[in-house]
PDB file of all heavy atoms in Angstrom:
ATOM      1  N   ARG A  15      96.610  82.816 112.423  1.00  0.00           N
ATOM      2  CA  ARG A  15      97.573  83.807 112.911  1.00  0.00           C
ATOM      3  C   ARG A  15      97.049  84.379 114.222  1.00  0.00           C
ATOM      4  O   ARG A  15      95.840  84.455 114.427  1.00  0.00           O
ATOM      5  CB  ARG A  15      97.730  84.954 111.901  1.00  0.00           C
ATOM      6  CG  ARG A  15      98.069  84.498 110.498  1.00  0.00           C
ATOM      7  CD  ARG A  15      99.526  84.128 110.350  1.00  0.00           C
ATOM      8  NE  ARG A  15      99.793  83.529 109.046  1.00  0.00           N
ATOM      9  CZ  ARG A  15     101.001  83.441 108.501  1.00  0.00           C
ATOM     10  NH1 ARG A  15     102.051  83.907 109.154  1.00  0.00           N
ATOM     11  NH2 ARG A  15     101.163  82.873 107.324  1.00  0.00           N
ATOM     12  N   VAL A  17      96.432  87.397 116.740  1.00  0.00           N
ATOM     13  CA  VAL A  17      96.301  88.847 116.861  1.00  0.00           C
ATOM     14  C   VAL A  17      96.357  89.217 118.343  1.00  0.00           C
ATOM     15  O   VAL A  17      95.677  88.615 119.162  1.00  0.00           O
ATOM     16  CB  VAL A  17      94.961  89.315 116.255  1.00  0.00           C
ATOM     17  CG1 VAL A  17      94.693  90.767 116.583  1.00  0.00           C
ATOM     18  CG2 VAL A  17      94.965  89.120 114.745  1.00  0.00           C
ATOM     19  N   ARG A  18      97.196  90.207 118.641  1.00  0.00           N
ATOM     20  CA  ARG A  18      97.359  90.644 120.038  1.00  0.00           C
ATOM     21  C   ARG A  18      96.758  92.027 120.212  1.00  0.00           C
ATOM     22  O   ARG A  18      97.147  92.956 119.501  1.00  0.00           O
ATOM     23  CB  ARG A  18      98.851  90.723 120.377  1.00  0.00           C
ATOM     24  CG  ARG A  18      99.548  89.411 120.171  1.00  0.00           C
ATOM     25  CD  ARG A  18     101.065  89.597 120.084  1.00  0.00           C
ATOM     26  NE  ARG A  18     101.654  88.391 119.541  1.00  0.00           N
ATOM     27  CZ  ARG A  18     102.868  88.315 118.992  1.00  0.00           C
ATOM     28  NH1 ARG A  18     103.634  89.388 118.938  1.00  0.00           N
ATOM     29  NH2 ARG A  18     103.305  87.183 118.517  1.00  0.00           N
ATOM     30  N   ASP A  45     104.644 103.736 123.146  1.00  0.00           N
ATOM     31  CA  ASP A  45     105.632 104.398 122.283  1.00  0.00           C
ATOM     32  C   ASP A  45     105.200 104.434 120.813  1.00  0.00           C
ATOM     33  O   ASP A  45     105.718 105.235 120.031  1.00  0.00           O
ATOM     34  CB  ASP A  45     106.988 103.697 122.380  1.00  0.00           C
ATOM     35  CG  ASP A  45     107.657 103.936 123.728  1.00  0.00           C
ATOM     36  OD1 ASP A  45     107.184 104.814 124.489  1.00  0.00           O
ATOM     37  OD2 ASP A  45     108.641 103.234 124.034  1.00  0.00           O
ATOM     38  N   LEU A  48     103.656 107.881 119.151  1.00  0.00           N
ATOM     39  CA  LEU A  48     104.433 109.097 118.878  1.00  0.00           C
ATOM     40  C   LEU A  48     104.047 109.730 117.546  1.00  0.00           C
ATOM     41  O   LEU A  48     104.139 109.092 116.490  1.00  0.00           O
ATOM     42  CB  LEU A  48     105.941 108.768 118.864  1.00  0.00           C
ATOM     43  CG  LEU A  48     106.882 109.951 118.621  1.00  0.00           C
ATOM     44  CD1 LEU A  48     106.884 110.900 119.825  1.00  0.00           C
ATOM     45  CD2 LEU A  48     108.300 109.465 118.324  1.00  0.00           C
ATOM     46  N   GLN A  57      92.836 105.221 110.961  1.00  0.00           N
ATOM     47  CA  GLN A  57      92.073 104.002 110.682  1.00  0.00           C
ATOM     48  C   GLN A  57      92.269 103.066 111.873  1.00  0.00           C
ATOM     49  O   GLN A  57      93.400 102.723 112.233  1.00  0.00           O
ATOM     50  CB  GLN A  57      92.596 103.350 109.403  1.00  0.00           C
ATOM     51  CG  GLN A  57      91.842 102.066 109.071  1.00  0.00           C
ATOM     52  CD  GLN A  57      92.432 101.346 107.865  1.00  0.00           C
ATOM     53  OE1 GLN A  57      93.420 101.797 107.283  1.00  0.00           O
ATOM     54  NE2 GLN A  57      91.841 100.236 107.510  1.00  0.00           N
ATOM     55  N   GLU A  67      81.386  82.370 118.254  1.00  0.00           N
ATOM     56  CA  GLU A  67      82.022  81.469 117.279  1.00  0.00           C
ATOM     57  C   GLU A  67      81.055  81.133 116.136  1.00  0.00           C
ATOM     58  O   GLU A  67      81.446  81.049 114.973  1.00  0.00           O
ATOM     59  CB  GLU A  67      82.470  80.194 118.011  1.00  0.00           C
ATOM     60  CG  GLU A  67      83.399  79.306 117.248  1.00  0.00           C
ATOM     61  CD  GLU A  67      84.639  80.029 116.741  1.00  0.00           C
ATOM     62  OE1 GLU A  67      85.198  80.892 117.458  1.00  0.00           O
ATOM     63  OE2 GLU A  67      85.025  79.732 115.603  1.00  0.00           O
ATOM     64  N   GLY A  87      76.831  87.814  99.987  1.00  0.00           N
ATOM     65  CA  GLY A  87      77.952  87.251 100.730  1.00  0.00           C
ATOM     66  C   GLY A  87      78.512  88.278 101.704  1.00  0.00           C
ATOM     67  O   GLY A  87      78.442  89.485 101.459  1.00  0.00           O
ATOM     68  N   ARG A  92      79.440  95.289 104.680  1.00  0.00           N
ATOM     69  CA  ARG A  92      80.362  95.706 105.747  1.00  0.00           C
ATOM     70  C   ARG A  92      79.851  95.315 107.136  1.00  0.00           C
ATOM     71  O   ARG A  92      80.382  95.790 108.147  1.00  0.00           O
ATOM     72  CB  ARG A  92      80.587  97.223 105.709  1.00  0.00           C
ATOM     73  CG  ARG A  92      81.418  97.698 104.538  1.00  0.00           C
ATOM     74  CD  ARG A  92      81.799  99.158 104.667  1.00  0.00           C
ATOM     75  NE  ARG A  92      82.823  99.409 105.667  1.00  0.00           N
ATOM     76  CZ  ARG A  92      84.129  99.231 105.458  1.00  0.00           C
ATOM     77  NH1 ARG A  92      84.570  98.809 104.301  1.00  0.00           N
ATOM     78  NH2 ARG A  92      84.989  99.479 106.429  1.00  0.00           N
ATOM     79  N   ARG A  96      81.219  87.936 109.867  1.00  0.00           N
ATOM     80  CA  ARG A  96      82.260  87.590 108.897  1.00  0.00           C
ATOM     81  C   ARG A  96      83.228  86.616 109.562  1.00  0.00           C
ATOM     82  O   ARG A  96      83.277  86.535 110.779  1.00  0.00           O
ATOM     83  CB  ARG A  96      82.977  88.840 108.368  1.00  0.00           C
ATOM     84  CG  ARG A  96      83.336  89.865 109.419  1.00  0.00           C
ATOM     85  CD  ARG A  96      83.779  91.210 108.811  1.00  0.00           C
ATOM     86  NE  ARG A  96      82.739  91.822 108.016  1.00  0.00           N
ATOM     87  CZ  ARG A  96      82.733  91.824 106.670  1.00  0.00           C
ATOM     88  NH1 ARG A  96      83.715  91.288 105.992  1.00  0.00           N
ATOM     89  NH2 ARG A  96      81.727  92.381 106.023  1.00  0.00           N
ATOM     90  N   ASN A  98      86.375  86.556 110.157  1.00  0.00           N
ATOM     91  CA  ASN A  98      87.234  87.201 111.147  1.00  0.00           C
ATOM     92  C   ASN A  98      86.589  88.532 111.515  1.00  0.00           C
ATOM     93  O   ASN A  98      86.593  89.461 110.701  1.00  0.00           O
ATOM     94  CB  ASN A  98      88.638  87.429 110.584  1.00  0.00           C
ATOM     95  CG  ASN A  98      89.368  86.129 110.344  1.00  0.00           C
ATOM     96  OD1 ASN A  98      89.613  85.367 111.270  1.00  0.00           O
ATOM     97  ND2 ASN A  98      89.699  85.861 109.086  1.00  0.00           N
ATOM     98  N   ILE A 100      86.710  91.536 112.368  1.00  0.00           N
ATOM     99  CA  ILE A 100      87.559  92.720 112.521  1.00  0.00           C
ATOM    100  C   ILE A 100      86.822  93.909 111.922  1.00  0.00           C
ATOM    101  O   ILE A 100      86.492  93.900 110.730  1.00  0.00           O
ATOM    102  CB  ILE A 100      88.923  92.529 111.821  1.00  0.00           C
ATOM    103  CG1 ILE A 100      89.676  91.342 112.433  1.00  0.00           C
ATOM    104  CG2 ILE A 100      89.759  93.811 111.918  1.00  0.00           C
ATOM    105  CD1 ILE A 100      90.944  90.969 111.671  1.00  0.00           C
ATOM    106  N   SER A 102      86.723  97.945 110.829  1.00  0.00           N
ATOM    107  CA  SER A 102      87.684  98.938 110.325  1.00  0.00           C
ATOM    108  C   SER A 102      86.952 100.252 110.140  1.00  0.00           C
ATOM    109  O   SER A 102      86.026 100.324 109.339  1.00  0.00           O
ATOM    110  CB  SER A 102      88.258  98.464 108.993  1.00  0.00           C
ATOM    111  OG  SER A 102      89.000  99.507 108.382  1.00  0.00           O
ATOM    112  N   VAL A 129      93.134  96.267 117.564  1.00  0.00           N
ATOM    113  CA  VAL A 129      94.232  95.421 117.085  1.00  0.00           C
ATOM    114  C   VAL A 129      95.229  96.171 116.202  1.00  0.00           C
ATOM    115  O   VAL A 129      96.353  95.715 116.010  1.00  0.00           O
ATOM    116  CB  VAL A 129      93.717  94.137 116.395  1.00  0.00           C
ATOM    117  CG1 VAL A 129      92.896  93.306 117.367  1.00  0.00           C
ATOM    118  CG2 VAL A 129      92.936  94.424 115.142  1.00  0.00           C
ATOM    119  N   ASP A 130      94.817  97.328 115.664  1.00  0.00           N
ATOM    120  CA  ASP A 130      95.780  98.139 114.918  1.00  0.00           C
ATOM    121  C   ASP A 130      95.242  99.551 114.773  1.00  0.00           C
ATOM    122  O   ASP A 130      94.029  99.779 114.787  1.00  0.00           O
ATOM    123  CB  ASP A 130      96.063  97.544 113.524  1.00  0.00           C
ATOM    124  CG  ASP A 130      97.342  98.087 112.888  1.00  0.00           C
ATOM    125  OD1 ASP A 130      98.166  98.706 113.603  1.00  0.00           O
ATOM    126  OD2 ASP A 130      97.540  97.888 111.674  1.00  0.00           O
ATOM    127  N   LYS A 132      96.343 102.959 112.214  1.00  0.00           N
ATOM    128  CA  LYS A 132      97.197 103.476 111.131  1.00  0.00           C
ATOM    129  C   LYS A 132      96.730 104.883 110.820  1.00  0.00           C
ATOM    130  O   LYS A 132      95.532 105.166 110.896  1.00  0.00           O
ATOM    131  CB  LYS A 132      97.001 102.663 109.838  1.00  0.00           C
ATOM    132  CG  LYS A 132      97.188 101.175 109.930  1.00  0.00           C
ATOM    133  CD  LYS A 132      96.864 100.538 108.570  1.00  0.00           C
ATOM    134  CE  LYS A 132      96.685  99.033 108.655  1.00  0.00           C
ATOM    135  NZ  LYS A 132      97.940  98.290 108.766  1.00  0.00           N
ATOM    136  N   ILE A 133      97.650 105.746 110.418  1.00  0.00           N
ATOM    137  CA  ILE A 133      97.202 107.046 109.934  1.00  0.00           C
ATOM    138  C   ILE A 133      96.338 106.770 108.693  1.00  0.00           C
ATOM    139  O   ILE A 133      96.647 105.876 107.900  1.00  0.00           O
ATOM    140  CB  ILE A 133      98.414 107.976 109.630  1.00  0.00           C
ATOM    141  CG1 ILE A 133      98.030 109.441 109.753  1.00  0.00           C
ATOM    142  CG2 ILE A 133      99.035 107.682 108.295  1.00  0.00           C
ATOM    143  CD1 ILE A 133      98.156 110.033 111.121  1.00  0.00           C
TER     144      ILE A 133
ATOM    145  N   ARG B  29      93.600  86.766 119.882  1.00  0.00           N
ATOM    146  CA  ARG B  29      92.484  86.276 119.067  1.00  0.00           C
ATOM    147  C   ARG B  29      93.074  85.534 117.870  1.00  0.00           C
ATOM    148  O   ARG B  29      94.166  85.874 117.406  1.00  0.00           O
ATOM    149  CB  ARG B  29      91.629  87.453 118.572  1.00  0.00           C
ATOM    150  CG  ARG B  29      91.168  88.375 119.675  1.00  0.00           C
ATOM    151  CD  ARG B  29      89.963  87.824 120.410  1.00  0.00           C
ATOM    152  NE  ARG B  29      89.637  88.664 121.573  1.00  0.00           N
ATOM    153  CZ  ARG B  29      88.465  88.616 122.190  1.00  0.00           C
ATOM    154  NH1 ARG B  29      87.524  87.773 121.790  1.00  0.00           N
ATOM    155  NH2 ARG B  29      88.236  89.387 123.242  1.00  0.00           N
ATOM    156  N   VAL B  31      93.068  84.592 113.997  1.00  0.00           N
ATOM    157  CA  VAL B  31      92.634  84.991 112.663  1.00  0.00           C
ATOM    158  C   VAL B  31      92.833  83.808 111.713  1.00  0.00           C
ATOM    159  O   VAL B  31      93.885  83.176 111.706  1.00  0.00           O
ATOM    160  CB  VAL B  31      93.460  86.202 112.169  1.00  0.00           C
ATOM    161  CG1 VAL B  31      93.201  86.474 110.705  1.00  0.00           C
ATOM    162  CG2 VAL B  31      93.130  87.433 112.994  1.00  0.00           C
ATOM    163  N   ARG B  32      91.771  83.522 110.934  1.00  0.00           N
ATOM    164  CA  ARG B  32      91.815  82.389 110.004  1.00  0.00           C
ATOM    165  C   ARG B  32      91.843  82.909 108.571  1.00  0.00           C
ATOM    166  O   ARG B  32      90.948  83.670 108.189  1.00  0.00           O
ATOM    167  CB  ARG B  32      90.577  81.533 110.181  1.00  0.00           C
ATOM    168  CG  ARG B  32      90.428  81.016 111.581  1.00  0.00           C
ATOM    169  CD  ARG B  32      89.002  80.533 111.841  1.00  0.00           C
ATOM    170  NE  ARG B  32      88.812  80.415 113.279  1.00  0.00           N
ATOM    171  CZ  ARG B  32      87.629  80.380 113.890  1.00  0.00           C
ATOM    172  NH1 ARG B  32      86.522  80.451 113.184  1.00  0.00           N
ATOM    173  NH2 ARG B  32      87.565  80.276 115.196  1.00  0.00           N
ATOM    174  N   ASP B  59      80.990  80.927  99.301  1.00  0.00           N
ATOM    175  CA  ASP B  59      79.633  81.488  99.363  1.00  0.00           C
ATOM    176  C   ASP B  59      79.619  82.935  99.862  1.00  0.00           C
ATOM    177  O   ASP B  59      78.639  83.663  99.652  1.00  0.00           O
ATOM    178  CB  ASP B  59      78.740  80.635 100.276  1.00  0.00           C
ATOM    179  CG  ASP B  59      78.402  79.290  99.651  1.00  0.00           C
ATOM    180  OD1 ASP B  59      78.661  79.104  98.441  1.00  0.00           O
ATOM    181  OD2 ASP B  59      77.897  78.418 100.378  1.00  0.00           O
ATOM    182  N   LEU B  62      79.169  86.075  97.219  1.00  0.00           N
ATOM    183  CA  LEU B  62      77.926  86.382  96.489  1.00  0.00           C
ATOM    184  C   LEU B  62      77.660  87.891  96.424  1.00  0.00           C
ATOM    185  O   LEU B  62      77.553  88.551  97.459  1.00  0.00           O
ATOM    186  CB  LEU B  62      76.736  85.682  97.160  1.00  0.00           C
ATOM    187  CG  LEU B  62      75.372  85.895  96.489  1.00  0.00           C
ATOM    188  CD1 LEU B  62      75.305  85.188  95.145  1.00  0.00           C
ATOM    189  CD2 LEU B  62      74.239  85.410  97.402  1.00  0.00           C
ATOM    190  N   GLN B  71      87.587  96.621 100.258  1.00  0.00           N
ATOM    191  CA  GLN B  71      88.661  96.781 101.238  1.00  0.00           C
ATOM    192  C   GLN B  71      89.174  95.386 101.578  1.00  0.00           C
ATOM    193  O   GLN B  71      88.405  94.523 102.003  1.00  0.00           O
ATOM    194  CB  GLN B  71      88.128  97.467 102.494  1.00  0.00           C
ATOM    195  CG  GLN B  71      89.223  97.665 103.543  1.00  0.00           C
ATOM    196  CD  GLN B  71      88.677  98.229 104.846  1.00  0.00           C
ATOM    197  OE1 GLN B  71      87.471  98.476 104.977  1.00  0.00           O
ATOM    198  NE2 GLN B  71      89.545  98.415 105.812  1.00  0.00           N
ATOM    199  N   GLU B  81     108.683  87.711 113.744  1.00  0.00           N
ATOM    200  CA  GLU B  81     108.232  88.005 115.115  1.00  0.00           C
ATOM    201  C   GLU B  81     108.915  89.277 115.644  1.00  0.00           C
ATOM    202  O   GLU B  81     108.298  90.084 116.326  1.00  0.00           O
ATOM    203  CB  GLU B  81     108.544  86.800 116.002  1.00  0.00           C
ATOM    204  CG  GLU B  81     107.889  86.795 117.351  1.00  0.00           C
ATOM    205  CD  GLU B  81     106.372  86.953 117.280  1.00  0.00           C
ATOM    206  OE1 GLU B  81     105.719  86.382 116.369  1.00  0.00           O
ATOM    207  OE2 GLU B  81     105.844  87.677 118.144  1.00  0.00           O
ATOM    208  N   GLN B  88     108.573 102.221 116.751  1.00  0.00           N
ATOM    209  CA  GLN B  88     108.806 103.513 116.108  1.00  0.00           C
ATOM    210  C   GLN B  88     109.682 103.295 114.876  1.00  0.00           C
ATOM    211  O   GLN B  88     110.550 102.420 114.873  1.00  0.00           O
ATOM    212  CB  GLN B  88     109.485 104.500 117.075  1.00  0.00           C
ATOM    213  CG  GLN B  88     108.579 104.820 118.283  1.00  0.00           C
ATOM    214  CD  GLN B  88     109.172 105.830 119.243  1.00  0.00           C
ATOM    215  OE1 GLN B  88     110.353 106.181 119.146  1.00  0.00           O
ATOM    216  NE2 GLN B  88     108.360 106.291 120.177  1.00  0.00           N
ATOM    217  N   GLY B 101     105.716 106.964 115.820  1.00  0.00           N
ATOM    218  CA  GLY B 101     105.160 105.706 116.284  1.00  0.00           C
ATOM    219  C   GLY B 101     104.520 104.962 115.117  1.00  0.00           C
ATOM    220  O   GLY B 101     104.029 105.582 114.174  1.00  0.00           O
ATOM    221  N   ARG B 106     101.681 104.246 108.044  1.00  0.00           N
ATOM    222  CA  ARG B 106     100.975 103.087 107.452  1.00  0.00           C
ATOM    223  C   ARG B 106     101.939 101.975 107.040  1.00  0.00           C
ATOM    224  O   ARG B 106     101.546 101.042 106.343  1.00  0.00           O
ATOM    225  CB  ARG B 106     100.149 103.515 106.221  1.00  0.00           C
ATOM    226  CG  ARG B 106      98.916 104.322 106.546  1.00  0.00           C
ATOM    227  CD  ARG B 106      98.027 104.532 105.333  1.00  0.00           C
ATOM    228  NE  ARG B 106      97.299 103.350 104.954  1.00  0.00           N
ATOM    229  CZ  ARG B 106      96.160 102.941 105.532  1.00  0.00           C
ATOM    230  NH1 ARG B 106      95.634 103.636 106.525  1.00  0.00           N
ATOM    231  NH2 ARG B 106      95.561 101.846 105.125  1.00  0.00           N
ATOM    232  N   ARG B 110     104.385  96.758 112.544  1.00  0.00           N
ATOM    233  CA  ARG B 110     103.364  97.062 113.538  1.00  0.00           C
ATOM    234  C   ARG B 110     103.078  95.792 114.333  1.00  0.00           C
ATOM    235  O   ARG B 110     103.382  94.696 113.877  1.00  0.00           O
ATOM    236  CB  ARG B 110     102.091  97.607 112.871  1.00  0.00           C
ATOM    237  CG  ARG B 110     101.667  96.873 111.626  1.00  0.00           C
ATOM    238  CD  ARG B 110     100.586  97.642 110.861  1.00  0.00           C
ATOM    239  NE  ARG B 110     101.029  98.962 110.428  1.00  0.00           N
ATOM    240  CZ  ARG B 110     100.649 100.117 111.018  1.00  0.00           C
ATOM    241  NH1 ARG B 110      99.795 100.115 112.015  1.00  0.00           N
ATOM    242  NH2 ARG B 110     101.118 101.263 110.565  1.00  0.00           N
ATOM    243  N   ASN B 112     100.511  94.001 114.975  1.00  0.00           N
ATOM    244  CA  ASN B 112      99.762  93.001 114.204  1.00  0.00           C
ATOM    245  C   ASN B 112      99.899  93.365 112.730  1.00  0.00           C
ATOM    246  O   ASN B 112      99.298  94.351 112.283  1.00  0.00           O
ATOM    247  CB  ASN B 112      98.288  92.984 114.617  1.00  0.00           C
ATOM    248  CG  ASN B 112      98.101  92.502 116.043  1.00  0.00           C
ATOM    249  OD1 ASN B 112      98.454  91.382 116.378  1.00  0.00           O
ATOM    250  ND2 ASN B 112      97.570  93.373 116.909  1.00  0.00           N
ATOM    251  N   ILE B 114      98.800  93.538 109.805  1.00  0.00           N
ATOM    252  CA  ILE B 114      97.623  93.443 108.940  1.00  0.00           C
ATOM    253  C   ILE B 114      97.636  94.633 107.996  1.00  0.00           C
ATOM    254  O   ILE B 114      97.618  95.780 108.437  1.00  0.00           O
ATOM    255  CB  ILE B 114      96.319  93.436 109.775  1.00  0.00           C
ATOM    256  CG1 ILE B 114      96.297  92.227 110.720  1.00  0.00           C
ATOM    257  CG2 ILE B 114      95.091  93.412 108.848  1.00  0.00           C
ATOM    258  CD1 ILE B 114      95.132  92.250 111.706  1.00  0.00           C
ATOM    259  N   SER B 116      95.822  96.890 104.987  1.00  0.00           N
ATOM    260  CA  SER B 116      94.448  97.249 104.604  1.00  0.00           C
ATOM    261  C   SER B 116      94.519  98.108 103.363  1.00  0.00           C
ATOM    262  O   SER B 116      95.094  99.203 103.404  1.00  0.00           O
ATOM    263  CB  SER B 116      93.788  98.026 105.744  1.00  0.00           C
ATOM    264  OG  SER B 116      92.553  98.576 105.307  1.00  0.00           O
ATOM    265  N   VAL B 143      92.643  88.000 105.145  1.00  0.00           N
ATOM    266  CA  VAL B 143      91.879  87.697 106.366  1.00  0.00           C
ATOM    267  C   VAL B 143      90.476  88.296 106.363  1.00  0.00           C
ATOM    268  O   VAL B 143      89.618  87.851 107.119  1.00  0.00           O
ATOM    269  CB  VAL B 143      92.658  88.088 107.651  1.00  0.00           C
ATOM    270  CG1 VAL B 143      93.974  87.323 107.718  1.00  0.00           C
ATOM    271  CG2 VAL B 143      92.900  89.577 107.746  1.00  0.00           C
ATOM    272  N   ASP B 144      90.232  89.297 105.511  1.00  0.00           N
ATOM    273  CA  ASP B 144      88.866  89.798 105.395  1.00  0.00           C
ATOM    274  C   ASP B 144      88.732  90.585 104.097  1.00  0.00           C
ATOM    275  O   ASP B 144      89.717  91.129 103.570  1.00  0.00           O
ATOM    276  CB  ASP B 144      88.490  90.704 106.576  1.00  0.00           C
ATOM    277  CG  ASP B 144      86.969  90.892 106.719  1.00  0.00           C
ATOM    278  OD1 ASP B 144      86.196  90.151 106.081  1.00  0.00           O
ATOM    279  OD2 ASP B 144      86.562  91.796 107.494  1.00  0.00           O
ATOM    280  N   LYS B 146      85.726  93.429 102.575  1.00  0.00           N
ATOM    281  CA  LYS B 146      84.497  94.186 102.822  1.00  0.00           C
ATOM    282  C   LYS B 146      84.265  95.076 101.621  1.00  0.00           C
ATOM    283  O   LYS B 146      85.232  95.579 101.031  1.00  0.00           O
ATOM    284  CB  LYS B 146      84.631  95.105 104.038  1.00  0.00           C
ATOM    285  CG  LYS B 146      85.078  94.468 105.328  1.00  0.00           C
ATOM    286  CD  LYS B 146      85.270  95.586 106.398  1.00  0.00           C
ATOM    287  CE  LYS B 146      86.059  95.096 107.610  1.00  0.00           C
ATOM    288  NZ  LYS B 146      85.255  94.286 108.520  1.00  0.00           N
ATOM    289  N   ILE B 147      82.991  95.326 101.297  1.00  0.00           N
ATOM    290  CA  ILE B 147      82.736  96.320 100.276  1.00  0.00           C
ATOM    291  C   ILE B 147      83.290  97.645 100.825  1.00  0.00           C
ATOM    292  O   ILE B 147      83.182  97.932 102.017  1.00  0.00           O
ATOM    293  CB  ILE B 147      81.235  96.390  99.913  1.00  0.00           C
ATOM    294  CG1 ILE B 147      81.025  96.918  98.514  1.00  0.00           C
ATOM    295  CG2 ILE B 147      80.439  97.175 100.941  1.00  0.00           C
ATOM    296  CD1 ILE B 147      80.975  95.882  97.444  1.00  0.00           C
TER     297      ILE B 147
END
Side-chain angles (χ1 to χ4, degrees):
Chain A
R15 307 282 173 161
V17 170
R18 302 162 195 161
D45 289 348
L48 181 70
Q57 180 185 1
E67 193 54 39
R92 289 189 73 81
R96 44 192 61 256
N98 293 298
I100 299 172
S102 170
V129 300
D130 198 15
K132 306 176 194 283
I133 206 88
Chain B
R29 307 280 173 163
V31 170
R32 302 163 196 161
D59 289 348
L62 181 69
Q71 180 185 0
E81 193 54 39
Q88 297 182 349
R106 288 189 74 81
R110 43 192 60 255
N112 294 299
I114 299 172
S116 170
V143 300
D144 198 13
K146 306 175 195 283
I147 205 91

